[in-house]
């Protein structure tokens, strides 16, 4: 569901839906965004034009 939504989105803010806890990252991850998957796991991604790029599944906490 999350990856389908990410694929259909044309800007990062379109991932800001209830339950995903969308947020911009800071520090050495500035310019990337994250949405919650489960526990500490997040899908993180950057944005280029109308496309999500560098999509990762990370436990970054």
């Amino acid at each position: 569901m999350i990856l389908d939504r990410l694929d259909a989105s044309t800007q990062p803010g379109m991932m800001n839906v209830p339950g995903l806890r969308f947020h911009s990252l800071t520090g050495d991850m500035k310019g990337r965004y994250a949405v919650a998957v489960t526990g500490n796991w997040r899908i993180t991604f950057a944005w280029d034009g109308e496309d999500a790029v560098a999509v990762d599944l990370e436990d970054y906490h």
Side-chain angles (χ1 to χ4, degrees):
M1 187 259 329
I2 294 171
L3 294 177
D4 286 340
R5 175 77 184 197
L6 191 59
D7 186 47
S9 296
T10 58
Q11 60 185 19
M14 292 178 73
M15 293 300 292
N16 191 13
V17 296
L20 292 185
R21 299 189 317 223
F22 169 81
H23 57 282
S24 300
L25 300 176
T26 60
D28 63 343
M29 296 184 108
K30 187 175 181 174
R32 295 181 60 76
Y33 304 89
V35 293
V37 177
T38 186
N40 287 342
W41 290 94
R42 305 289 183 269
I43 290 181
T44 61
F45 54 95
W47 213 260
D48 183 19
E50 293 187 355
D51 298 309
V53 295
V55 178
D56 291 307
L57 177 64
E58 301 184 55
D59 178 359
Y60 69 86
H61 286 102

